[in-house]
Amino acid sequence: MRALRNILATIHLLSGVAVLGAALCLLTGVMGDRVRALLDTPAGRIGAYVAIGILGLGVLVNVIATYARRPDPTCVHPDGNPNVEVSLQALTSAATRAAAAGDVLIEGVEGRIIGRDRDRARLLVEAIAFTDEGLDGLAHGIQQRVTDACTRLLGTAGIEVRVRFLPSKTTIITREVPDER
């Protein structure tokens, strides 16, 4: 789907460049005679109509997509109950507090509402580990604490927790460059 979208965007861009280029040439007079001669031929007129049609269709699709797009959900409905809402901000706050431990520094928590009924959430915990050993156990502990906190405190059982460890050290490599004079 992404490849098709990229191809259509490229075709839309090329037709926009062609229409804009022809309009500028006709309005400014630079190479206007050549553009008029090209548009006097049947192939030139058909090409211009196709480019204008593609450009108009692309604009129409973008306008419809803009107005038809629903806003991203901001609340989870536990157990699919539309009368109960738990905000995404409450989930990320609870996850930040629950994920904190002595071996890690929590850099941030990002959340996203998923599911047809908006009854589940996916949380991404970005952490910096102070140790290099046992990262699997550390990640599992963070996942368990966050899931338990969201279930106990907020009543949201459908939480998926992912843990991403960020680098805790940076390596500086110093190289001497010979003086070339």
Side-chain angles (χ1 to χ4, degrees):
M1 187 68 178
R2 180 179 285 172
L4 180 64
R5 191 178 295 168
N6 288 341
I7 290 170
L8 291 175
T10 303
I11 291 171
H12 184 259
L13 179 68
L14 290 175
S15 65
V17 168
V19 168
L20 184 64
L24 283 176
C25 287
L26 289 173
L27 290 175
T28 61
V30 178
M31 295 179 52
D33 296 333
R34 289 186 180 180
V35 173
R36 280 188 199 88
L38 180 65
L39 291 177
D40 285 340
T41 63
R45 271 194 303 274
I46 290 172
Y49 290 145
V50 167
I52 291 170
I54 289 172
L55 196 61
L57 187 64
V59 168
L60 181 66
V61 166
N62 283 331
V63 166
I64 290 172
T66 300
Y67 285 117
R69 183 172 177 244
R70 295 187 325 193
D72 292 334
T74 59
C75 295
V76 175
H77 300 287
D79 299 326
N81 185 355
N83 296 326
V84 178
E85 292 183 347
V86 177
S87 72
L88 187 60
Q89 194 172 17
L91 284 173
T92 57
S93 178
T96 303
R97 297 294 263 163
D103 296 353
V104 296
L105 173 69
I106 303 303
E107 186 69 23
V109 177
E110 296 176 7
R112 185 167 179 234
I113 308 297
I114 58 174
R116 182 179 175 146
D117 295 331
R118 297 179 181 155
D119 59 343
R120 296 181 295 142
R122 181 176 295 142
L123 298 175
L124 174 65
V125 178
E126 292 181 336
I128 297 174
F130 296 133
T131 180
D132 291 335
E133 294 89 25
L135 292 180
D136 290 336
L138 198 58
H140 183 67
I142 291 171
Q143 287 176 332
Q144 192 62 41
R145 285 193 305 270
V146 169
T147 305
D148 289 345
C150 290
T151 303
R152 275 194 341 251
L153 292 175
L154 303 172
T156 54
I159 303 295
E160 294 178 20
V161 180
R162 293 182 180 175
V163 179
R164 178 189 302 160
F165 288 109
L166 302 174
S168 60
K169 299 178 190 174
T170 57
T171 305
I172 299 173
I173 299 173
T174 306
R175 293 188 180 154
E176 292 185 24
V177 179
D179 189 20
E180 297 178 9
R181 287 186 190 186

